[in-house]
Amino acid sequence: MDAVGNIDRSITANSPIYAVFHKNGVKTYVAYNFTNQVKTVTFSDGHSITVQPNSFNTGNGSGGGNPQPDTEAPSIPANVRVTTKTASTVTLEWDAATDNVGVAGYIVYKDGAQAAEISGIFASMTGLNAASTYSFTVKARDAAGNLSAASHAISVTTETASGGNEGGGETEDYKAGARFVSDREALLQFTPKKASAYVDVHYTLTDGQQLNYRMTNNGGVWEQRVTDLDIGKGVSYWFTYEKAGLQYETPPFSYTHQQIASTTTDVPELPTPGADPVFEKTS
C-alpha cells in the first residue's frame, strides 16, 4: 500500500466501507458501494466520491482539501398520480427525478407539511380520514441535501367509510380481508391458496405504532384479532407469508372500523394479541 501512502484514520465517512491514505501531502480516498443504486460517499474533510452500484471508486485531494460542494438541486418529480385509494389510505406514484450526482430520496408533503421521506418512487399514505380531501406534493433530495422544487399538487378525496374489507382482495396466491367483530374488535384474515408454514400480520392503527404478530391458523385460515378499536378508526395492514420455502409480502390494505349487518356473523374465539411483537418490518 506504499504507493498510496499511510492510512489516515482521522477522516471518517458517511459509509461503512471506506479508506483514506495520505502521501506527500496528497490524500487518496477509496469508497465501496454494495447497493443497487448510485451512492455519494462524503468524507469528514468535505471530499466526496460518487460510486456506481456494486462497485468501488477512488479520488484524490490535496492535504486539507477544498472540494467544490454540490449545490445543484434535482429535477422536479413529474407525473405525480394516485394508483389506489380507500377510506384511510392513498397510494401515490411518480416518475423518477434526475440529478447531477444522484437522487437520494423523495419527500412527500400532505397539505403543505412533510408527511413521509422515502427512497423509492411510490408512497402509501395511511391514517387518513374517510371522505376527506388532501393535497399532496413531492420533492426530490440528493445526498448533499439539495431539494428540488415541489411537484404539481394532486388533490385526492378518500372513500366514504364502509367498514368490512376495504383494501383486501384475492390473488392467485391468497385471499385477504378484515371483518367486524364488535365495537372494539376486528378480525384480520389471510387464506393462502397453498398451505403456508407461517403467516405474519403487520398493522398500524390511525396515528399509532406498527404492531407485528404471528397469526393463528384456524383450519387453513390465518387469523388475528385487532383490539382497542373505536368506530371509524382506521387500520392499515399487510402480511408476510411462506410459500414453497420462500417468504413473500403483500401490498398494504386498509380497513375502517364500522359495523355492517353482513359482517356480524359468528367469529371464532382467538387469543388476543400478546404484549411482544414478533419483529419489526424493515424496508
Side-chain angles (χ1 to χ4, degrees):
M1 300 299 292
D2 183 63
V4 292
N6 298 319
I7 191 167
D8 188 340
R9 301 185 185 278
S10 67
I11 299 176
T12 59
N14 64 346
S15 181
I17 306 178
Y18 70 94
V20 180
F21 300 92
H22 200 174
K23 184 177 183 179
N24 298 328
V26 176
K27 295 176 182 177
T28 299
Y29 302 81
V30 183
Y32 291 80
N33 177 14
F34 294 112
T35 72
N36 294 321
Q37 296 180 336
V38 176
K39 183 176 184 179
T40 298
V41 177
T42 303
F43 296 84
S44 59
D45 64 352
H47 195 85
S48 62
I49 297 177
T50 299
V51 190
Q52 296 300 313
N54 299 300
S55 183
F56 73 95
N57 198 6
T58 63
N60 295 106
S62 60
N66 186 26
Q68 294 298 314
D70 176 15
T71 59
E72 184 174 334
S75 64
I76 300 173
N79 194 24
V80 179
R81 54 200 181 272
V82 175
T83 56
T84 62
K85 67 175 182 176
T86 69
S88 60
T89 302
V90 169
T91 301
L92 303 171
E93 190 173 349
W94 54 88
D95 296 343
T98 59
D99 185 66
N100 63 314
V101 176
V103 176
Y106 299 88
I107 301 175
V108 181
Y109 296 82
K110 180 181 71 176
D111 294 335
Q114 182 172 330
E117 185 167 357
I118 58 175
S119 59
I121 57 171
F122 64 90
S124 183
M125 312 304 295
T126 62
L128 306 178
N129 295 323
S132 299
T133 301
Y134 297 90
S135 177
F136 295 99
T137 57
V138 181
K139 293 182 180 180
R141 176 183 60 82
D142 65 17
N146 299 308
L147 289 178
S148 73
S151 69
H152 73 277
I154 183 167
S155 181
V156 187
T157 301
T158 54
E159 302 290 350
T160 303
S162 58
N165 173 23
E166 294 178 3
E170 188 169 0
T171 72
E172 62 181 11
D173 280 352
Y174 61 82
K175 181 178 180 181
R179 296 175 60 190
F180 181 94
V181 176
S182 70
D183 287 350
R184 300 284 289 168
E185 292 187 7
L187 185 69
L188 303 180
Q189 296 179 305
F190 183 90
T191 308
K193 298 297 180 67
K194 295 184 179 180
S196 294
Y198 62 85
V199 178
D200 295 321
V201 63
H202 323 276
Y203 66 85
T204 57
L205 305 180
T206 304
D207 300 324
Q209 67 178 14
Q210 179 180 311
L211 299 174
N212 310 280
Y213 296 103
R214 179 62 48 87
M215 302 183 78
T216 299
N217 189 350
N218 184 19
V221 179
W222 295 79
E223 300 181 323
Q224 177 68 44
R225 284 179 183 266
V226 180
T227 59
D228 298 326
L229 292 173
D230 296 312
I231 297 299
K233 196 165 191 176
V235 182
S236 177
Y237 63 99
W238 63 97
F239 303 93
T240 303
Y241 64 98
E242 182 273 340
K243 175 187 174 184
L246 300 177
Q247 180 170 292
Y248 297 86
E249 185 171 290
T250 72
F253 306 124
S254 67
Y255 166 83
T256 301
H257 195 56
Q258 184 168 326
Q259 182 175 358
I260 294 179
S262 61
T263 62
T264 58
T265 54
D266 292 338
V267 176
E269 290 296 324
L270 295 173
T272 55
D276 298 322
V278 177
F279 56 85
E280 290 296 332
K281 176 176 180 284
T282 59
S283 58

